[in-house]
Amino acid sequence: MKLVVGRDDLAAAALGAGTEAGAHVERQDIKPVHKASRGFVNDQAVDVCELAVVTLLQAVAHDKPVVLLPVTTLGRTQHQTLVTMGALTVADVEGRSVGVRSWSQTTGVWLRGFLTEQYGVDLRKADWTVYEPGHVDGYQDPSWVRRAPEGARLQSDFLEGRLDFGVMGNELPADDRIRTAIPDALDVAKRWTAERGFLPLNHVVGVTEQAAAENSAAVLAMYDAMREVAGKDPAGTNPAGFEALRGPVALAARYAREQDVLVRPVEFDELVERSCAALGVTPARLGG
């Protein structure tokens, strides 16, 4: 089986457990890890793959033969990802230009959900520009979202003043002029997390239906091993198991559907049913 997981500790745990369970497991060195997503969801080029939450949801909505293995590989706050360089704040988003790497990028889905729920922003009243397509074949950006010209870069357009706001997580450039558009963004994010009872999740683990069916014992051993490693995180940023993921994944799915990122609703119980059917287990075996 081919494995793509970005974190070395999680990858080593999965690799060792899968091998001990009798499978031939080979870790693929793909960096950044999101570059493996397209091949995984569209062509099943790898068997077990770290991918963004929204990419997994889109894959299910488009009936791709991949399922959720409920382990979080990346969780973080998101309110701080809306940035600007001028005197603008989140109250000024409507009528202004906003750039985001991809409309289906999970960071953008979370941030836009906050804009609508917490700040009353009508997303269609902002001028959105995206720079990359999504990872799932068959998906098209909403008609009210503009694709940047070929060769344009989000960071350059933002730093050179062609965008009023940018939504950037790992892509955020180092520049002292940049500041968060949401005042006290990290404090707001901390309160949001406390009220919701969970942290926004970015990346989880997926497995192809074929690998789940043909190598269920090895896949389950990999899940157990990764879950054990993830559970050692004192900050709780890597929850595992269906029940631990239900809240954040269900909310991400709602936000994504409201933003025309999903072509149909995807309920969390559908994810559970698909995973259990592929692996031949009950929900309790996967933490829920």
PDB file of all heavy atoms in Angstrom, residues 55-95:
ATOM      1  N   THR A  55     -11.569  18.718   0.880  1.00  0.00           N
ATOM      2  CA  THR A  55     -11.290  17.848  -0.264  1.00  0.00           C
ATOM      3  C   THR A  55     -11.960  16.499  -0.089  1.00  0.00           C
ATOM      4  O   THR A  55     -12.549  15.952  -1.031  1.00  0.00           O
ATOM      5  CB  THR A  55      -9.776  17.664  -0.442  1.00  0.00           C
ATOM      6  OG1 THR A  55      -9.159  18.940  -0.671  1.00  0.00           O
ATOM      7  CG2 THR A  55      -9.470  16.765  -1.629  1.00  0.00           C
ATOM      8  N   LEU A  56     -11.903  15.950   1.125  1.00  0.00           N
ATOM      9  CA  LEU A  56     -12.587  14.686   1.389  1.00  0.00           C
ATOM     10  C   LEU A  56     -14.094  14.838   1.191  1.00  0.00           C
ATOM     11  O   LEU A  56     -14.747  13.990   0.566  1.00  0.00           O
ATOM     12  CB  LEU A  56     -12.293  14.213   2.802  1.00  0.00           C
ATOM     13  CG  LEU A  56     -13.064  12.960   3.211  1.00  0.00           C
ATOM     14  CD1 LEU A  56     -12.471  11.733   2.539  1.00  0.00           C
ATOM     15  CD2 LEU A  56     -13.090  12.773   4.715  1.00  0.00           C
ATOM     16  N   LEU A  57     -14.665  15.915   1.706  1.00  0.00           N
ATOM     17  CA  LEU A  57     -16.104  16.133   1.563  1.00  0.00           C
ATOM     18  C   LEU A  57     -16.494  16.267   0.092  1.00  0.00           C
ATOM     19  O   LEU A  57     -17.516  15.721  -0.339  1.00  0.00           O
ATOM     20  CB  LEU A  57     -16.508  17.385   2.337  1.00  0.00           C
ATOM     21  CG  LEU A  57     -16.405  17.286   3.869  1.00  0.00           C
ATOM     22  CD1 LEU A  57     -16.546  18.673   4.496  1.00  0.00           C
ATOM     23  CD2 LEU A  57     -17.466  16.343   4.426  1.00  0.00           C
ATOM     24  N   GLN A  58     -15.702  16.992  -0.673  1.00  0.00           N
ATOM     25  CA  GLN A  58     -15.978  17.117  -2.099  1.00  0.00           C
ATOM     26  C   GLN A  58     -15.872  15.764  -2.794  1.00  0.00           C
ATOM     27  O   GLN A  58     -16.687  15.443  -3.671  1.00  0.00           O
ATOM     28  CB  GLN A  58     -15.003  18.090  -2.752  1.00  0.00           C
ATOM     29  CG  GLN A  58     -15.309  19.546  -2.512  1.00  0.00           C
ATOM     30  CD  GLN A  58     -14.456  20.440  -3.386  1.00  0.00           C
ATOM     31  OE1 GLN A  58     -13.252  20.225  -3.525  1.00  0.00           O
ATOM     32  NE2 GLN A  58     -15.062  21.443  -3.985  1.00  0.00           N
ATOM     33  N   ALA A  59     -14.879  14.967  -2.418  1.00  0.00           N
ATOM     34  CA  ALA A  59     -14.732  13.653  -3.031  1.00  0.00           C
ATOM     35  C   ALA A  59     -15.964  12.791  -2.786  1.00  0.00           C
ATOM     36  O   ALA A  59     -16.454  12.109  -3.698  1.00  0.00           O
ATOM     37  CB  ALA A  59     -13.480  12.969  -2.468  1.00  0.00           C
ATOM     38  N   VAL A  60     -16.490  12.847  -1.576  1.00  0.00           N
ATOM     39  CA  VAL A  60     -17.703  12.083  -1.265  1.00  0.00           C
ATOM     40  C   VAL A  60     -18.892  12.631  -2.049  1.00  0.00           C
ATOM     41  O   VAL A  60     -19.699  11.871  -2.600  1.00  0.00           O
ATOM     42  CB  VAL A  60     -17.966  12.109   0.252  1.00  0.00           C
ATOM     43  CG1 VAL A  60     -19.333  11.511   0.584  1.00  0.00           C
ATOM     44  CG2 VAL A  60     -16.864  11.364   0.997  1.00  0.00           C
ATOM     45  N   ALA A  61     -19.008  13.943  -2.117  1.00  0.00           N
ATOM     46  CA  ALA A  61     -20.116  14.548  -2.858  1.00  0.00           C
ATOM     47  C   ALA A  61     -20.087  14.170  -4.336  1.00  0.00           C
ATOM     48  O   ALA A  61     -21.133  14.080  -4.985  1.00  0.00           O
ATOM     49  CB  ALA A  61     -20.078  16.069  -2.705  1.00  0.00           C
ATOM     50  N   HIS A  62     -18.884  13.944  -4.868  1.00  0.00           N
ATOM     51  CA  HIS A  62     -18.729  13.544  -6.267  1.00  0.00           C
ATOM     52  C   HIS A  62     -18.599  12.031  -6.418  1.00  0.00           C
ATOM     53  O   HIS A  62     -18.261  11.544  -7.502  1.00  0.00           O
ATOM     54  CB  HIS A  62     -17.512  14.244  -6.875  1.00  0.00           C
ATOM     55  CG  HIS A  62     -17.726  15.696  -7.171  1.00  0.00           C
ATOM     56  ND1 HIS A  62     -18.192  16.154  -8.387  1.00  0.00           N
ATOM     57  CD2 HIS A  62     -17.568  16.794  -6.404  1.00  0.00           C
ATOM     58  CE1 HIS A  62     -18.284  17.478  -8.359  1.00  0.00           C
ATOM     59  NE2 HIS A  62     -17.919  17.885  -7.168  1.00  0.00           N
ATOM     60  N   ASP A  63     -18.880  11.304  -5.341  1.00  0.00           N
ATOM     61  CA  ASP A  63     -18.911   9.840  -5.342  1.00  0.00           C
ATOM     62  C   ASP A  63     -17.585   9.215  -5.764  1.00  0.00           C
ATOM     63  O   ASP A  63     -17.559   8.212  -6.478  1.00  0.00           O
ATOM     64  CB  ASP A  63     -20.041   9.310  -6.230  1.00  0.00           C
ATOM     65  CG  ASP A  63     -20.453   7.897  -5.844  1.00  0.00           C
ATOM     66  OD1 ASP A  63     -20.290   7.539  -4.665  1.00  0.00           O
ATOM     67  OD2 ASP A  63     -20.917   7.140  -6.726  1.00  0.00           O
ATOM     68  N   LYS A  64     -16.480   9.800  -5.307  1.00  0.00           N
ATOM     69  CA  LYS A  64     -15.183   9.183  -5.532  1.00  0.00           C
ATOM     70  C   LYS A  64     -15.017   8.025  -4.550  1.00  0.00           C
ATOM     71  O   LYS A  64     -15.510   8.083  -3.418  1.00  0.00           O
ATOM     72  CB  LYS A  64     -14.061  10.200  -5.330  1.00  0.00           C
ATOM     73  CG  LYS A  64     -14.181  11.461  -6.188  1.00  0.00           C
ATOM     74  CD  LYS A  64     -13.992  11.186  -7.654  1.00  0.00           C
ATOM     75  CE  LYS A  64     -14.005  12.470  -8.467  1.00  0.00           C
ATOM     76  NZ  LYS A  64     -13.843  12.225  -9.925  1.00  0.00           N
ATOM     77  N   PRO A  65     -14.308   6.972  -4.938  1.00  0.00           N
ATOM     78  CA  PRO A  65     -14.204   5.777  -4.074  1.00  0.00           C
ATOM     79  C   PRO A  65     -13.160   5.917  -2.973  1.00  0.00           C
ATOM     80  O   PRO A  65     -12.209   5.138  -2.871  1.00  0.00           O
ATOM     81  CB  PRO A  65     -13.844   4.675  -5.068  1.00  0.00           C
ATOM     82  CG  PRO A  65     -13.048   5.392  -6.124  1.00  0.00           C
ATOM     83  CD  PRO A  65     -13.695   6.753  -6.255  1.00  0.00           C
ATOM     84  N   VAL A  66     -13.347   6.929  -2.120  1.00  0.00           N
ATOM     85  CA  VAL A  66     -12.460   7.137  -0.977  1.00  0.00           C
ATOM     86  C   VAL A  66     -13.317   7.364   0.254  1.00  0.00           C
ATOM     87  O   VAL A  66     -14.437   7.877   0.161  1.00  0.00           O
ATOM     88  CB  VAL A  66     -11.501   8.320  -1.198  1.00  0.00           C
ATOM     89  CG1 VAL A  66     -10.607   8.068  -2.413  1.00  0.00           C
ATOM     90  CG2 VAL A  66     -12.243   9.626  -1.369  1.00  0.00           C
ATOM     91  N   VAL A  67     -12.781   7.000   1.425  1.00  0.00           N
ATOM     92  CA  VAL A  67     -13.536   7.114   2.666  1.00  0.00           C
ATOM     93  C   VAL A  67     -12.652   7.737   3.738  1.00  0.00           C
ATOM     94  O   VAL A  67     -11.417   7.792   3.617  1.00  0.00           O
ATOM     95  CB  VAL A  67     -14.076   5.742   3.145  1.00  0.00           C
ATOM     96  CG1 VAL A  67     -15.030   5.157   2.113  1.00  0.00           C
ATOM     97  CG2 VAL A  67     -12.926   4.772   3.430  1.00  0.00           C
ATOM     98  N   LEU A  68     -13.301   8.182   4.804  1.00  0.00           N
ATOM     99  CA  LEU A  68     -12.618   8.822   5.917  1.00  0.00           C
ATOM    100  C   LEU A  68     -12.056   7.786   6.875  1.00  0.00           C
ATOM    101  O   LEU A  68     -12.752   6.870   7.293  1.00  0.00           O
ATOM    102  CB  LEU A  68     -13.602   9.729   6.670  1.00  0.00           C
ATOM    103  CG  LEU A  68     -13.134  10.313   8.012  1.00  0.00           C
ATOM    104  CD1 LEU A  68     -11.975  11.284   7.809  1.00  0.00           C
ATOM    105  CD2 LEU A  68     -14.298  11.009   8.726  1.00  0.00           C
ATOM    106  N   LEU A  69     -10.774   7.952   7.225  1.00  0.00           N
ATOM    107  CA  LEU A  69     -10.175   7.262   8.355  1.00  0.00           C
ATOM    108  C   LEU A  69     -10.030   8.339   9.425  1.00  0.00           C
ATOM    109  O   LEU A  69      -9.227   9.260   9.266  1.00  0.00           O
ATOM    110  CB  LEU A  69      -8.811   6.680   7.962  1.00  0.00           C
ATOM    111  CG  LEU A  69      -8.247   5.556   8.836  1.00  0.00           C
ATOM    112  CD1 LEU A  69      -9.181   4.350   8.818  1.00  0.00           C
ATOM    113  CD2 LEU A  69      -6.859   5.177   8.376  1.00  0.00           C
ATOM    114  N   PRO A  70     -10.838   8.297  10.483  1.00  0.00           N
ATOM    115  CA  PRO A  70     -11.006   9.468  11.354  1.00  0.00           C
ATOM    116  C   PRO A  70      -9.827   9.783  12.276  1.00  0.00           C
ATOM    117  O   PRO A  70      -9.869   9.582  13.491  1.00  0.00           O
ATOM    118  CB  PRO A  70     -12.271   9.137  12.148  1.00  0.00           C
ATOM    119  CG  PRO A  70     -12.284   7.652  12.217  1.00  0.00           C
ATOM    120  CD  PRO A  70     -11.717   7.192  10.905  1.00  0.00           C
ATOM    121  N   VAL A  71      -8.765  10.288  11.665  1.00  0.00           N
ATOM    122  CA  VAL A  71      -7.603  10.778  12.394  1.00  0.00           C
ATOM    123  C   VAL A  71      -7.293  12.183  11.877  1.00  0.00           C
ATOM    124  O   VAL A  71      -7.205  12.391  10.668  1.00  0.00           O
ATOM    125  CB  VAL A  71      -6.368   9.879  12.189  1.00  0.00           C
ATOM    126  CG1 VAL A  71      -5.146  10.477  12.888  1.00  0.00           C
ATOM    127  CG2 VAL A  71      -6.633   8.473  12.683  1.00  0.00           C
ATOM    128  N   THR A  72      -7.136  13.135  12.777  1.00  0.00           N
ATOM    129  CA  THR A  72      -6.765  14.488  12.395  1.00  0.00           C
ATOM    130  C   THR A  72      -5.251  14.607  12.353  1.00  0.00           C
ATOM    131  O   THR A  72      -4.564  14.243  13.308  1.00  0.00           O
ATOM    132  CB  THR A  72      -7.311  15.511  13.411  1.00  0.00           C
ATOM    133  OG1 THR A  72      -8.722  15.343  13.530  1.00  0.00           O
ATOM    134  CG2 THR A  72      -6.998  16.925  12.962  1.00  0.00           C
ATOM    135  N   THR A  73      -4.736  15.132  11.248  1.00  0.00           N
ATOM    136  CA  THR A  73      -3.298  15.354  11.149  1.00  0.00           C
ATOM    137  C   THR A  73      -2.944  16.827  11.284  1.00  0.00           C
ATOM    138  O   THR A  73      -1.780  17.161  11.489  1.00  0.00           O
ATOM    139  CB  THR A  73      -2.752  14.830   9.808  1.00  0.00           C
ATOM    140  OG1 THR A  73      -3.424  15.510   8.734  1.00  0.00           O
ATOM    141  CG2 THR A  73      -2.987  13.331   9.685  1.00  0.00           C
ATOM    142  N   LEU A  74      -3.942  17.702  11.159  1.00  0.00           N
ATOM    143  CA  LEU A  74      -3.691  19.135  11.322  1.00  0.00           C
ATOM    144  C   LEU A  74      -4.965  19.827  11.777  1.00  0.00           C
ATOM    145  O   LEU A  74      -5.989  19.777  11.088  1.00  0.00           O
ATOM    146  CB  LEU A  74      -3.224  19.762  10.004  1.00  0.00           C
ATOM    147  CG  LEU A  74      -3.034  21.295  10.000  1.00  0.00           C
ATOM    148  CD1 LEU A  74      -1.948  21.701  11.002  1.00  0.00           C
ATOM    149  CD2 LEU A  74      -2.689  21.806   8.615  1.00  0.00           C
ATOM    150  N   GLY A  75      -4.910  20.455  12.942  1.00  0.00           N
ATOM    151  CA  GLY A  75      -5.997  21.293  13.431  1.00  0.00           C
ATOM    152  C   GLY A  75      -5.413  22.602  13.909  1.00  0.00           C
ATOM    153  O   GLY A  75      -4.306  22.631  14.463  1.00  0.00           O
ATOM    154  N   ARG A  76      -6.129  23.700  13.674  1.00  0.00           N
ATOM    155  CA  ARG A  76      -5.609  25.002  14.101  1.00  0.00           C
ATOM    156  C   ARG A  76      -6.734  26.022  14.091  1.00  0.00           C
ATOM    157  O   ARG A  76      -7.779  25.814  13.470  1.00  0.00           O
ATOM    158  CB  ARG A  76      -4.491  25.477  13.173  1.00  0.00           C
ATOM    159  CG  ARG A  76      -4.963  25.829  11.766  1.00  0.00           C
ATOM    160  CD  ARG A  76      -3.843  26.340  10.889  1.00  0.00           C
ATOM    161  NE  ARG A  76      -4.360  26.714   9.575  1.00  0.00           N
ATOM    162  CZ  ARG A  76      -3.664  26.645   8.457  1.00  0.00           C
ATOM    163  NH1 ARG A  76      -2.423  26.192   8.475  1.00  0.00           N
ATOM    164  NH2 ARG A  76      -4.198  27.016   7.300  1.00  0.00           N
ATOM    165  N   THR A  77      -6.504  27.144  14.763  1.00  0.00           N
ATOM    166  CA  THR A  77      -7.448  28.248  14.684  1.00  0.00           C
ATOM    167  C   THR A  77      -7.371  28.856  13.294  1.00  0.00           C
ATOM    168  O   THR A  77      -6.378  28.697  12.577  1.00  0.00           O
ATOM    169  CB  THR A  77      -7.135  29.315  15.746  1.00  0.00           C
ATOM    170  OG1 THR A  77      -5.801  29.803  15.536  1.00  0.00           O
ATOM    171  CG2 THR A  77      -7.265  28.740  17.152  1.00  0.00           C
ATOM    172  N   GLN A  78      -8.431  29.605  12.897  1.00  0.00           N
ATOM    173  CA  GLN A  78      -8.494  30.126  11.535  1.00  0.00           C
ATOM    174  C   GLN A  78      -8.839  31.613  11.460  1.00  0.00           C
ATOM    175  O   GLN A  78      -8.656  32.227  10.400  1.00  0.00           O
ATOM    176  CB  GLN A  78      -9.550  29.349  10.721  1.00  0.00           C
ATOM    177  CG  GLN A  78      -9.321  27.850  10.649  1.00  0.00           C
ATOM    178  CD  GLN A  78      -8.205  27.459   9.687  1.00  0.00           C
ATOM    179  OE1 GLN A  78      -7.489  28.302   9.162  1.00  0.00           O
ATOM    180  NE2 GLN A  78      -8.042  26.167   9.461  1.00  0.00           N
ATOM    181  N   HIS A  79      -9.319  32.211  12.530  1.00  0.00           N
ATOM    182  CA  HIS A  79      -9.730  33.615  12.460  1.00  0.00           C
ATOM    183  C   HIS A  79      -8.587  34.529  12.037  1.00  0.00           C
ATOM    184  O   HIS A  79      -8.814  35.579  11.431  1.00  0.00           O
ATOM    185  CB  HIS A  79     -10.286  34.068  13.814  1.00  0.00           C
ATOM    186  CG  HIS A  79     -11.627  33.501  14.154  1.00  0.00           C
ATOM    187  ND1 HIS A  79     -11.784  32.206  14.588  1.00  0.00           N
ATOM    188  CD2 HIS A  79     -12.868  34.062  14.123  1.00  0.00           C
ATOM    189  CE1 HIS A  79     -13.071  31.982  14.820  1.00  0.00           C
ATOM    190  NE2 HIS A  79     -13.749  33.079  14.547  1.00  0.00           N
ATOM    191  N   GLN A  80      -7.369  34.150  12.352  1.00  0.00           N
ATOM    192  CA  GLN A  80      -6.214  34.990  12.038  1.00  0.00           C
ATOM    193  C   GLN A  80      -5.809  34.926  10.569  1.00  0.00           C
ATOM    194  O   GLN A  80      -4.906  35.658  10.139  1.00  0.00           O
ATOM    195  CB  GLN A  80      -5.020  34.579  12.909  1.00  0.00           C
ATOM    196  CG  GLN A  80      -4.339  33.288  12.513  1.00  0.00           C
ATOM    197  CD  GLN A  80      -5.043  32.041  13.017  1.00  0.00           C
ATOM    198  OE1 GLN A  80      -6.109  32.110  13.627  1.00  0.00           O
ATOM    199  NE2 GLN A  80      -4.435  30.882  12.788  1.00  0.00           N
ATOM    200  N   THR A  81      -6.457  34.095   9.775  1.00  0.00           N
ATOM    201  CA  THR A  81      -6.026  33.922   8.385  1.00  0.00           C
ATOM    202  C   THR A  81      -6.553  34.993   7.440  1.00  0.00           C
ATOM    203  O   THR A  81      -6.114  35.048   6.292  1.00  0.00           O
ATOM    204  CB  THR A  81      -6.437  32.537   7.857  1.00  0.00           C
ATOM    205  OG1 THR A  81      -7.866  32.413   7.883  1.00  0.00           O
ATOM    206  CG2 THR A  81      -5.810  31.428   8.701  1.00  0.00           C
ATOM    207  N   LEU A  82      -7.492  35.821   7.882  1.00  0.00           N
ATOM    208  CA  LEU A  82      -7.925  36.964   7.062  1.00  0.00           C
ATOM    209  C   LEU A  82      -7.015  38.135   7.394  1.00  0.00           C
ATOM    210  O   LEU A  82      -7.018  38.633   8.516  1.00  0.00           O
ATOM    211  CB  LEU A  82      -9.383  37.326   7.345  1.00  0.00           C
ATOM    212  CG  LEU A  82      -9.925  38.504   6.512  1.00  0.00           C
ATOM    213  CD1 LEU A  82     -10.008  38.125   5.037  1.00  0.00           C
ATOM    214  CD2 LEU A  82     -11.291  38.952   7.023  1.00  0.00           C
ATOM    215  N   VAL A  83      -6.223  38.570   6.404  1.00  0.00           N
ATOM    216  CA  VAL A  83      -5.219  39.597   6.661  1.00  0.00           C
ATOM    217  C   VAL A  83      -5.384  40.773   5.699  1.00  0.00           C
ATOM    218  O   VAL A  83      -6.005  40.657   4.632  1.00  0.00           O
ATOM    219  CB  VAL A  83      -3.789  39.023   6.548  1.00  0.00           C
ATOM    220  CG1 VAL A  83      -3.532  37.998   7.637  1.00  0.00           C
ATOM    221  CG2 VAL A  83      -3.546  38.413   5.169  1.00  0.00           C
ATOM    222  N   THR A  84      -4.829  41.904   6.098  1.00  0.00           N
ATOM    223  CA  THR A  84      -4.849  43.116   5.290  1.00  0.00           C
ATOM    224  C   THR A  84      -3.584  43.899   5.598  1.00  0.00           C
ATOM    225  O   THR A  84      -2.835  43.557   6.520  1.00  0.00           O
ATOM    226  CB  THR A  84      -6.108  43.951   5.599  1.00  0.00           C
ATOM    227  OG1 THR A  84      -6.175  45.056   4.696  1.00  0.00           O
ATOM    228  CG2 THR A  84      -6.112  44.448   7.022  1.00  0.00           C
ATOM    229  N   MET A  85      -3.354  44.949   4.827  1.00  0.00           N
ATOM    230  CA  MET A  85      -2.186  45.787   5.099  1.00  0.00           C
ATOM    231  C   MET A  85      -2.571  47.247   5.344  1.00  0.00           C
ATOM    232  O   MET A  85      -1.726  48.062   5.672  1.00  0.00           O
ATOM    233  CB  MET A  85      -1.193  45.731   3.935  1.00  0.00           C
ATOM    234  CG  MET A  85      -0.491  44.394   3.807  1.00  0.00           C
ATOM    235  SD  MET A  85       0.982  44.493   2.753  1.00  0.00           S
ATOM    236  CE  MET A  85       0.229  45.045   1.215  1.00  0.00           C
ATOM    237  N   GLY A  86      -3.848  47.566   5.167  1.00  0.00           N
ATOM    238  CA  GLY A  86      -4.274  48.946   5.353  1.00  0.00           C
ATOM    239  C   GLY A  86      -5.015  49.130   6.653  1.00  0.00           C
ATOM    240  O   GLY A  86      -4.798  48.415   7.629  1.00  0.00           O
ATOM    241  N   ALA A  87      -5.907  50.115   6.645  1.00  0.00           N
ATOM    242  CA  ALA A  87      -6.687  50.417   7.851  1.00  0.00           C
ATOM    243  C   ALA A  87      -8.014  49.671   7.856  1.00  0.00           C
ATOM    244  O   ALA A  87      -8.865  49.923   8.706  1.00  0.00           O
ATOM    245  CB  ALA A  87      -6.937  51.925   7.941  1.00  0.00           C
ATOM    246  N   LEU A  88      -8.199  48.753   6.914  1.00  0.00           N
ATOM    247  CA  LEU A  88      -9.460  48.031   6.804  1.00  0.00           C
ATOM    248  C   LEU A  88      -9.588  46.992   7.915  1.00  0.00           C
ATOM    249  O   LEU A  88      -8.595  46.514   8.460  1.00  0.00           O
ATOM    250  CB  LEU A  88      -9.552  47.339   5.445  1.00  0.00           C
ATOM    251  CG  LEU A  88      -9.456  48.236   4.206  1.00  0.00           C
ATOM    252  CD1 LEU A  88      -9.442  47.390   2.936  1.00  0.00           C
ATOM    253  CD2 LEU A  88     -10.613  49.229   4.178  1.00  0.00           C
ATOM    254  N   THR A  89     -10.833  46.645   8.217  1.00  0.00           N
ATOM    255  CA  THR A  89     -11.115  45.573   9.166  1.00  0.00           C
ATOM    256  C   THR A  89     -12.143  44.637   8.549  1.00  0.00           C
ATOM    257  O   THR A  89     -12.612  44.851   7.420  1.00  0.00           O
ATOM    258  CB  THR A  89     -11.670  46.114  10.500  1.00  0.00           C
ATOM    259  OG1 THR A  89     -13.016  46.572  10.301  1.00  0.00           O
ATOM    260  CG2 THR A  89     -10.805  47.240  11.041  1.00  0.00           C
ATOM    261  N   VAL A  90     -12.511  43.628   9.290  1.00  0.00           N
ATOM    262  CA  VAL A  90     -13.496  42.673   8.818  1.00  0.00           C
ATOM    263  C   VAL A  90     -14.816  43.360   8.450  1.00  0.00           C
ATOM    264  O   VAL A  90     -15.557  42.874   7.587  1.00  0.00           O
ATOM    265  CB  VAL A  90     -13.714  41.570   9.887  1.00  0.00           C
ATOM    266  CG1 VAL A  90     -14.310  42.151  11.163  1.00  0.00           C
ATOM    267  CG2 VAL A  90     -14.587  40.451   9.352  1.00  0.00           C
ATOM    268  N   ALA A  91     -15.110  44.495   9.048  1.00  0.00           N
ATOM    269  CA  ALA A  91     -16.344  45.223   8.738  1.00  0.00           C
ATOM    270  C   ALA A  91     -16.350  45.787   7.321  1.00  0.00           C
ATOM    271  O   ALA A  91     -17.398  46.194   6.818  1.00  0.00           O
ATOM    272  CB  ALA A  91     -16.539  46.361   9.740  1.00  0.00           C
ATOM    273  N   ASP A  92     -15.195  45.784   6.664  1.00  0.00           N
ATOM    274  CA  ASP A  92     -15.069  46.384   5.338  1.00  0.00           C
ATOM    275  C   ASP A  92     -15.009  45.361   4.211  1.00  0.00           C
ATOM    276  O   ASP A  92     -14.773  45.725   3.053  1.00  0.00           O
ATOM    277  CB  ASP A  92     -13.805  47.253   5.277  1.00  0.00           C
ATOM    278  CG  ASP A  92     -13.799  48.337   6.335  1.00  0.00           C
ATOM    279  OD1 ASP A  92     -14.753  49.117   6.368  1.00  0.00           O
ATOM    280  OD2 ASP A  92     -12.835  48.378   7.130  1.00  0.00           O
ATOM    281  N   VAL A  93     -15.220  44.108   4.506  1.00  0.00           N
ATOM    282  CA  VAL A  93     -15.051  43.061   3.487  1.00  0.00           C
ATOM    283  C   VAL A  93     -16.015  43.237   2.319  1.00  0.00           C
ATOM    284  O   VAL A  93     -15.630  43.106   1.147  1.00  0.00           O
ATOM    285  CB  VAL A  93     -15.200  41.664   4.119  1.00  0.00           C
ATOM    286  CG1 VAL A  93     -15.320  40.588   3.040  1.00  0.00           C
ATOM    287  CG2 VAL A  93     -14.025  41.366   5.041  1.00  0.00           C
ATOM    288  N   GLU A  94     -17.281  43.518   2.610  1.00  0.00           N
ATOM    289  CA  GLU A  94     -18.250  43.692   1.517  1.00  0.00           C
ATOM    290  C   GLU A  94     -17.824  44.869   0.644  1.00  0.00           C
ATOM    291  O   GLU A  94     -17.486  45.941   1.128  1.00  0.00           O
ATOM    292  CB  GLU A  94     -19.649  43.918   2.073  1.00  0.00           C
ATOM    293  CG  GLU A  94     -20.245  42.694   2.741  1.00  0.00           C
ATOM    294  CD  GLU A  94     -21.697  42.909   3.180  1.00  0.00           C
ATOM    295  OE1 GLU A  94     -22.272  43.959   2.819  1.00  0.00           O
ATOM    296  OE2 GLU A  94     -22.239  42.032   3.876  1.00  0.00           O
ATOM    297  N   GLY A  95     -17.831  44.633  -0.657  1.00  0.00           N
ATOM    298  CA  GLY A  95     -17.438  45.670  -1.596  1.00  0.00           C
ATOM    299  C   GLY A  95     -15.945  45.762  -1.841  1.00  0.00           C
ATOM    300  O   GLY A  95     -15.499  46.591  -2.637  1.00  0.00           O
TER     301      GLY A  95
END
